[in-house]
Amino acid sequence: MAGVERMSVLRCADARRVAREALAGLGVGQRALDDVLTVVAELVTNAIRHAGGVTGFRIRPLPEAVAIEVSDASPLLPGSPGTPVSVPGGFGWLLVTKLAHRTEIRSGREGKTITAYLPLTALAG
């Protein structure tokens, strides 16, 4: 397990580095690694842009999946507001849900944690 707990400032580059280190040696193919890094970048970016920053970050290799957890201080749930194509942004959550096999959101007064699962079977190539 690799991660950063209660970090006041987390940049996407830092999160991607942690993810690369956590997956090193697991035989993850380049395309699958790119998917993991994309999900990491989108979740971290969304936390920074829409929720005041990242309060926790972890990558957990599981027996059949990789779990990407990003926490922030906002209890507001993510969404795809239907941003027009002419406006930049608005596609991060949609991208996360397309790439992840499953997502979970735990929300409370202290904020939320979003966990995206990418199956290891899909990560092998």
Side-chain angles (χ1 to χ4, degrees):
M1 172 172 48
V4 179
E5 295 293 335
R6 294 291 166 199
M7 190 168 190
S8 60
V9 177
L10 178 71
R11 298 176 312 139
C12 283
D14 299 327
R16 287 191 305 263
R17 179 187 45 76
V18 170
R20 282 182 196 278
E21 290 171 2
L23 298 179
L26 294 181
V28 175
Q30 187 61 50
R31 180 172 179 210
L33 180 60
D34 290 344
D35 287 350
V36 169
L37 297 178
T38 297
V39 169
V40 166
E42 291 298 335
L43 289 176
V44 169
T45 297
N46 286 349
I48 292 167
R49 180 176 281 172
H50 303 294
V54 176
T55 59
F57 173 75
R58 284 195 315 174
I59 299 289
R60 292 183 298 132
L62 303 170
E64 297 184 13
V66 172
I68 302 162
E69 296 179 5
V70 177
S71 301
D72 61 54
S74 173
L76 298 177
L77 301 179
S80 299
T83 304
V85 176
S86 60
V87 176
F91 299 99
W93 181 241
L94 179 63
L95 188 56
V96 167
T97 59
K98 291 289 185 190
L99 292 174
H101 173 68
R102 183 179 85 205
T103 57
E104 295 176 353
I105 303 171
R106 294 183 313 278
S107 184
R109 289 187 301 236
E110 300 292 316
K112 69 180 165 299
T113 299
I114 297 175
T115 306
Y117 296 90
L118 282 82
L120 282 178
T121 54
L123 296 178

